[in-house]
Amino acid sequence: MHGRRDTRVRSGVADAAVAVRPTGPVPAAAGADTASAGTDASGPAPRVVPAAEPTAVTREQGLAALAAAYRQLTETVAGRPDADLMRPTRCTGWSVVDVLYHVLLDGQRALIALATPDDGVADTDFITYWRGFPGGPGPGEHARAVRIAASAFRPRTLVQLWDETSSAVVRAARSTAADSRLVTQRHVLTLPDLLATLAVEASVHRLDLTVDLPDASDPDPVPLALVRRTLDGLLGAGVPRPDWPDREYALKGTGREPLTPAEQRILDGSRFPLFG
């Protein structure tokens, strides 16, 4: 991050908006500054709001977001012809089935994490976890490995594997104690924080694989709201940012869509994307 902002999660404060927040524009916080009404070559100056202060994710919020993200991803790919599953995505060089295989690997990692408790203190949370995955210059060895591995499966077989694995992750998460500390990616996370990272991953990648699927439904607002909370936490509480709808914030905050000149001016000094 540009500078070091405090992104520690304040425990014990639930964000009730996670379960009900619509996908429309984010309402301005009381007393929030707004951009001037002037225009430039990039169009009207966007409305500005402060990034929200991080609050802890509850077990119920994490479960709801994960179940919704996984369910919608499954619904998006289930029953599609192979030609649809070979369409391009926002991930350079990856087809729909390649993105699905990448998320399948994440589901398999989730099952391992849920079966790997740790007695130590959690060393990261659902926000700081993403500092290890900054936006990079482009695809690397993992991208190539995913393409090769995914090509070994019939697309419908991969859809079935995803369906079975994602359902197993949600069942296992529901039977895991709320105060569990679990190991993944060489980190220790609480159960709610782990579930939040999984939901964010699935929600963003669902946006990736629907770019050439015009009949796909709108993204579920529950996991998207968790993406917003994550991005705000990485940006830093109180830092001015454009008042994006959650979907647009997810795409721009993770480098899927470029910032306009007006947005760049608002975010002057803040590193974007916040994670890739």
Side-chain angles (χ1 to χ4, degrees):
M1 297 292 294
H2 181 84
R4 183 168 180 82
R5 300 188 176 93
D6 185 3
T7 57
R8 291 174 296 178
V9 174
R10 185 176 61 187
S11 61
V13 184
D15 183 359
V18 166
V20 299
R21 188 177 182 85
T23 54
V26 180
D33 292 333
T34 57
S36 64
T39 61
D40 59 20
S42 62
R47 181 183 173 90
V48 177
V49 296
E53 182 175 345
T55 56
V57 175
T58 67
R59 178 178 185 272
E60 291 70 26
Q61 290 172 346
L63 280 170
L66 181 65
Y70 277 12
R71 179 179 62 251
Q72 188 170 50
L73 205 160
T74 300
E75 291 170 351
T76 300
V77 297
R80 286 192 178 273
D82 287 359
D84 276 2
L85 298 174
M86 300 307 294
R87 290 180 179 274
T89 69
R90 286 188 173 87
C91 297
T92 303
W94 279 2
S95 66
V96 170
V97 77
D98 294 330
V99 174
L100 186 64
Y101 182 77
H102 172 73
V103 184
L104 172 64
L105 293 178
D106 207 48
Q108 293 172 344
R109 177 176 64 82
L111 287 175
I112 295 171
L114 291 167
T116 312
D118 191 277
D119 293 332
V121 177
D123 61 21
T124 193
D125 58 43
F126 79 101
I127 293 171
T128 58
Y129 170 84
W130 294 104
R131 287 180 176 168
F133 304 94
E141 285 301 313
H142 176 69
R144 178 175 177 273
V146 164
R147 288 196 301 269
I148 293 171
S151 69
F153 293 87
R154 296 172 62 188
R156 71 189 68 176
T157 300
L158 203 51
V159 170
Q160 180 181 353
L161 283 172
W162 162 253
D163 187 17
E164 294 170 350
T165 303
S166 60
S167 297
V169 172
V170 174
R171 286 195 300 271
R174 285 177 175 151
S175 64
T176 302
D179 61 352
S180 296
R181 294 179 299 278
L182 306 162
V183 178
T184 191
Q185 304 275 28
R186 297 189 293 277
H187 286 292
V188 179
L189 292 85
T190 65
L191 174 69
D193 285 322
L194 173 68
L195 300 182
T197 64
L198 297 169
V200 165
E201 178 96 3
S203 182
V204 171
H205 280 312
R206 200 264 177 177
L207 293 175
D208 289 335
L209 62 78
T210 57
V211 69
D212 199 38
L213 299 176
D215 60 338
S217 61
D218 291 336
D220 192 291
V222 175
L224 261 189
L226 200 49
V227 176
R228 165 175 45 81
R229 290 173 63 184
T230 301
L231 293 170
D232 270 3
L234 288 168
L235 183 59
V239 174
R241 67 164 175 83
D243 187 13
W244 290 305
D246 286 354
R247 179 182 180 277
E248 186 177 2
Y249 193 12
L251 292 172
K252 292 190 173 183
T254 61
R256 268 77 178 167
E257 288 186 356
L259 301 177
T260 67
E263 291 166 344
Q264 290 174 342
R265 286 194 294 273
I266 292 169
L267 293 162
D268 182 40
S270 297
R271 182 184 61 80
F272 262 65
L274 297 166
F275 68 87

